[in-house]
Amino acid sequence: MIELENLGRRYRDRMAVEGVSLTVAKGEIAVIVGTSGSGKTTLLRMINRLVEPSTGLVRINGQPNTALPAQELRRGIGYAIQGNGLFPHRTVAENIATVPRLLGWDRARIRARVDALLTLFDLDPALYRDRMPQALSGGQQQRVGVARALAADPPILLMDEPFGALDPILRARAQADLRALQRRLGTTIVLVTHDMEEALTLGDRIAVMAEGRLQQYARPAELLTAPANAFVRDLLGSGDPALRLLGVQDLATLVEAGPAEGPAMAVDASMRAALAECLWSRRSALPVSRDGVVIGRVTRAALEAAGGRPLDAGGVA
């Protein structure tokens, strides 16, 4: 879907990004992490040509991203930024409709798309369509910002610190919403964050940047079990590796047949979240659901065993 080949960007006598090559597969979430000034945002913006590369190239579906005029390219790529970037003088519906209007959609199609997205983000269209951004909570504004980025149904969504302005509770909810939405729509996402836990929670693959260079590009389990160098290891920080591995694994591989009582866990929840629920609720097993339908159970014993075994690079125990 997205290929970066020897990508670089020079500013005067300094290379902000140098020699980065990686591939983001269709339907994946790739997260870019690193310290301030490591080139994360510059790398992201070269994908949609908000920044033009000095060296190398970007391919999207096998074609150079220069094959289209920059404005046309950007209309086919969603872009969400920290603080949501909503136009304060436009209603929620008008904000979401920005790109569809540029693409010449008719009013009926735009209205239907706006209402569908508001519904998808648990915002009743009748209540929120005509509100101004300042009348929304921070979490609601962020959801509208992502809805606007998805309005024209782009196959690619770029996100630059999208949840950085949210408090921890709203941030966790926004991360869960994004993951669930991405799996439902199959959107390919490239997301920049400075938060390593967010990267481990959301990323199918994580690119670690330092001083403009790519240090490692791998699945979360591989980063945790085999960091490429001291910088990656230090960026990951401390913490029980087994518990952190549980945080990057979905329940799907541990679901088994059998009964379990109480509220169900979604199949795409992490093993760590399920183990925490077992401990807090004092249950030995939890029902597991997909799209609201119970498909089996996961046991506390299986979760604890998964936390005590090393996982391979693909994230399978």
Side-chain angles (χ1 to χ4, degrees):
M1 171 62 83
I2 304 172
E3 300 170 78
L4 311 185
E5 183 179 316
N6 195 35
L7 204 61
R9 171 67 188 191
R10 177 180 293 278
Y11 290 105
R12 296 183 180 178
D13 59 347
R14 182 180 70 90
M15 291 297 292
V17 173
E18 185 172 5
V20 173
S21 297
L22 59 83
T23 298
V24 183
K26 182 178 181 181
E28 280 192 340
I29 298 180
V31 181
I32 306 172
V33 297
T35 55
S36 297
S38 61
K40 305 185 298 294
T41 294
T42 300
L43 187 64
L44 183 80
R45 291 180 176 179
M46 284 193 280
I47 295 174
N48 67 352
R49 295 178 60 194
L50 284 173
V51 172
E52 296 287 0
S54 304
T55 62
L57 56 87
V58 177
R59 293 190 184 92
I60 297 176
N61 291 327
Q63 298 296 316
N65 69 344
T66 54
L68 293 174
Q71 291 299 326
E72 187 175 344
L73 172 77
R74 290 174 201 142
R75 289 172 188 172
I77 298 176
Y79 189 56
I81 61 175
Q82 181 174 340
N84 65 69
L86 298 177
F87 299 114
H89 58 288
R90 295 183 183 177
T91 66
V92 165
E94 289 169 340
N95 266 283
I96 296 174
T98 300
V99 173
R101 282 178 176 165
L102 290 172
L103 294 174
W105 291 19
D106 62 51
R107 290 185 179 180
R109 185 183 178 190
I110 289 174
R111 184 179 179 87
R113 181 60 174 166
V114 167
D115 287 358
L117 283 167
L118 287 172
T119 300
L120 187 64
F121 282 92
D122 293 325
L123 298 170
D124 184 345
L127 295 177
Y128 290 96
R129 186 191 301 115
D130 298 322
R131 289 191 183 181
M132 304 303 289
Q134 57 267 30
L136 306 178
S137 69
Q140 290 168 342
Q141 289 179 19
Q142 195 62 50
R143 278 183 272 167
V144 172
V146 177
R148 183 179 64 181
L150 293 170
D153 199 20
I156 296 171
L157 175 60
L158 307 181
M159 309 186 80
D160 192 357
E161 299 277 7
F163 311 130
L166 301 182
D167 65 50
I169 294 175
L170 287 176
R171 188 176 186 127
R173 168 68 191 275
Q175 291 168 358
D177 286 349
L178 177 66
R179 190 64 177 168
L181 181 71
Q182 186 268 343
R183 292 187 176 185
R184 188 182 310 176
L185 300 179
T187 309
T188 302
I189 297 176
V190 183
L191 182 149
V192 165
T193 182
H194 67 276
D195 185 333
M196 198 67 216
E197 292 305 319
E198 181 167 270
L200 292 170
T201 297
L202 291 176
D204 294 304
R205 296 182 189 273
I206 300 172
V208 181
M209 297 287 294
E211 297 181 349
R213 289 185 171 273
L214 181 65
Q215 304 298 305
Q216 188 170 4
Y217 183 53
R219 294 189 181 278
E222 183 178 349
L223 284 180
L224 288 168
T225 57
N229 54 39
F231 177 84
V232 177
R233 185 168 55 250
D234 290 345
L235 192 67
L236 285 165
S238 61
D240 183 343
L243 186 59
R244 297 185 83 186
L245 282 168
L246 286 180
V248 303
Q249 304 305 310
D250 291 346
L251 293 180
T253 58
L254 299 183
V255 175
E256 61 180 44
E261 296 181 354
M265 295 291 294
V267 71
D268 57 359
S270 71
M271 293 182 187
R272 181 167 60 189
L275 180 56
E277 178 61 26
C278 281
L279 294 172
W280 279 105
S281 64
R282 299 184 179 181
R283 286 185 282 169
S284 61
L286 307 174
V288 178
S289 65
R290 177 181 286 115
D291 298 328
V293 178
V294 174
I295 59 173
R297 70 175 185 177
V298 63
T299 66
R300 175 176 169 179
L303 291 164
E304 290 176 338
R309 302 198 300 263
L311 302 176
D312 66 22
V316 179

